[in-house]
Amino acid sequence: MYNSIQGGHIEVICGPMFSGKSEELIRRLRRAIIARQRVQVFKPGIDSRYADDEVVSHSDNRLSATSVASPSQLIEQTHYRTEVVGIDEAQFFGPELVGVCERLANRGVRVIVAGLDLDWRGEPFHPMPELLAVAEMVTKSQAVCMVCGHPAAFSQKLSGEAVQVELGSSERYEARCRRHFEPEERRQLELLRAREEARRVPTRDDDSPVA
């Protein structure tokens, strides 16, 4: 469908963690490369979980990328002949990203953006809502709930600090459906304490003598 849009435009791929957002971004960008279009890929410098110079999906699909500290640096490093720009983990950029994407689209660039639409509290993760509003095409991906196996639209935080931005993967987050999503900070802390206490409980060998 997105190939039928002519000229510059914005595509947004959003959803929770583990929903295949980066995978889909990489797929679209590779198709553009196969079509011999001039492609540049960017990622926020804050995200160094897997690689500094690659976009990496959770299934270990990789594509070379340039790390930038800000949206202004992104547009400065976009070559004037570039036809397609890919941006991963867009939620880690500030509100300036919206204007940068529109400037690129207005000059004829196809801009493909991937990012979390909700944070671990279940609240909008800016600037994604603003990007969704101005995009010509939006793809909402879903993950699999790690509790019941149903489609999941939320990112459950399992450990860490009560801050919006905290990098991590499956050791810190998991996908949840609405029924099993626990966004309240108090509940999050209760779950964390329960897990920590469970780890401290010594296991007893069935063959050991009972006192």
Side-chain angles (χ1 to χ4, degrees):
M1 183 186 297
Y2 51 83
N3 284 333
S4 64
I5 303 176
Q6 299 298 315
H9 64 273
I10 301 172
E11 303 168 23
V12 176
I13 306 163
C14 65
M17 294 187 68
F18 314 110
S19 63
K21 300 181 302 299
S22 296
E23 193 89 16
E24 176 62 15
L25 175 66
I26 291 170
R27 188 186 72 83
R28 295 187 193 183
L29 293 171
R30 281 188 172 152
R31 285 178 63 89
I33 293 170
I34 291 170
R36 297 184 179 180
Q37 296 176 319
R38 298 180 182 91
V39 176
Q40 282 187 266
V41 188
F42 297 96
K43 59 179 290 186
I46 189 176
D47 184 16
S48 57
R49 287 172 294 177
Y50 301 113
D52 293 326
D53 57 355
E54 291 178 311
V55 168
V56 185
S57 71
H58 291 293
S59 60
D60 205 36
N61 246 331
R62 296 169 179 264
L63 192 64
S64 295
T66 301
S67 292
V68 292
S70 65
S72 59
Q73 188 179 352
L74 185 156
I75 200 164
E76 286 171 3
Q77 295 195 31
T78 302
H79 194 274
Y80 75 96
R81 297 184 67 190
T82 293
E83 299 170 275
V84 181
V85 167
I87 305 171
D88 197 28
E89 303 294 354
Q91 74 278 357
F92 293 144
F93 289 111
E96 185 186 359
L97 181 64
V98 181
V100 165
C101 289
E102 289 201 280
R103 283 176 60 188
L104 289 170
N106 289 341
R107 75 186 200 196
V109 177
R110 177 187 175 193
V111 184
I112 313 173
V113 182
L116 294 168
D117 52 351
L118 301 174
D119 63 15
W120 63 272
R121 294 185 179 96
E123 298 174 355
F125 209 149
H126 299 280
M128 291 301 290
E130 292 79 9
L131 284 168
L132 290 167
V134 300
E136 279 85 349
M137 179 181 176
V138 173
T139 301
K140 174 86 170 182
S141 301
Q142 290 187 315
V144 177
C145 179
M146 295 302 291
V147 176
C148 66
H150 288 152
F154 300 93
S155 302
Q156 180 74 46
K157 194 170 191 178
L158 303 174
S159 64
E161 302 296 327
V163 294
Q164 186 183 46
V165 177
E166 189 170 19
L167 296 176
S169 187
S170 56
E171 82 288 348
R172 183 162 290 165
Y173 297 95
E174 68 181 21
R176 295 280 182 91
C177 66
R178 185 178 294 275
R179 178 184 177 188
H180 294 110
F181 178 53
E182 295 282 356
E184 298 87 358
E185 290 183 30
R186 180 181 300 176
R187 178 58 177 158
Q188 296 277 9
L189 294 173
E190 289 175 356
L191 289 170
L192 176 59
R193 282 195 293 268
R195 289 186 176 91
E196 289 175 345
E197 289 173 3
R199 293 191 191 102
R200 287 197 295 266
V201 174
T203 57
R204 188 178 64 195
D205 193 333
D206 292 339
D207 296 331
S208 60
V210 178

